Amino acid sequence: MYMPCPPPPRIVSTRGRRRQVDTATHFCPNPDCAYRGWVGWGNLRANGHPSGGPWRQLLCIACRGYFLETLGTLFHGKHASVDLIVHVIACLAEGLGIRGTARVFEVDPNTVLQWLVEAAEQLRAFSQHFLHGIRVRQVQLDELFALLSAVKAGEVSEAEAIERLERMSQWVWVAMDPESKLLLAIDLGHRTLAMAQHLVHSVAQVLAPDCAPLFLTDGFREYMTALLTHYGHWVQPPRQQAQGPIPRPRWLPLPQLLYAQVVKTVRRRHLVRVRHCVVFGTLEAVNAVLAPLGYQINTAFIERLNLTIRQHVAAVGRRVSTLCKGEEGLRQQLALYQTYHNFCLPHASLRQPLPQLLPTNGSGSAKQWRPCTPAMAAGLTDRVWSLREVLLYRVPPWPQPVGV
Ligand SMILES: [Zn+2]
């Protein structure tokens, strides 16, 4: 990420009255402006709604440049109503397919697809902006079988369709912190070493550089190589004898690397037993990480996640996929799901008790819990984001200084 020289001095408003319009989440986009990309630096003024449109225009007082508050988001330059776009994306995030969503809102399926593509691009940047330097105690890696369909109903025979489906069968690769439920990485691909490498690489990218969590996977053997690649180092073995050649250095796992495989025994479609086979590290060390969470909880949630992804990502859940989408469409739905899950969906197991009961409107019982999303549990944000807020968030071009 390119970060320019130190930011220019902040501009403090000299007028006594507090500014009514909050520009604190915006930044100047002008590449020639010294204030470009710095969020909440005091250089922006709200300038009303040009030609009565829904969006405010912002003025950068440093470069005298004007831009709309939607610049760089999905809404920029769209004639469709904000509500419509937000609802369409929400429907996709909740797992209705592209065709279904198009029917509900009476929009052309290609328009829905176009919005999905743009939203996914924006949400990837959003994720990248928030997910970095994360500290977790464990990471669970899993692959979930996905069936892709590039086949439009009726265009090919059923047999042919099934045959194509088989060939396109892919896996959804997921990396999650079981404590915060944060989805660290999600991807799509075949069940290969290259994909395992890619997933572990994505995880390593979002974790703090010195964070070496306990990794848990299923029995897929390529994970071992992938983890060793990313969490290994050269070790020079000591000489056995005073003379003779120096032994060759060896690539070994970092001493702090913990990796266990979760071996599940399933009988009549019921999970009867879960065992951990320690691959790197010691059983004691692995148990020390797992003990506070409990084995059963641990495996229950990954099964639960598989179910949730099936429900929320239309193409994974059903054989009948929609419209052209092969791989790209599904990848975009997964990008949408990752952010929706992390930032917008409060997780029942994460809710926190309120210090005191809050009365609710009407006759309902008092509110006792504060909803909590995975991103909140992981300390990345302090509130539940609405999908509208996420979609309206202008992702700054570089990480912003914290607490200044
Ligand atoms: Zn400017």
Side-chain angles (χ1 to χ4, degrees), residues 28 30 33 35 43 60 62-63:
C28 176
N30 177 4
C33 177
Y35 284 83
N43 55 313
C60 171
C63 68

Side-chain angles (χ1 to χ4, degrees), residues 125-138:
F126 183 91
S127 268
Q128 229 170 44
H129 181 68
F130 282 94
L131 270 60
H132 56 83
I134 296 170
R135 287 177 191 285
V136 292
R137 278 184 286 194
Q138 48 170 311

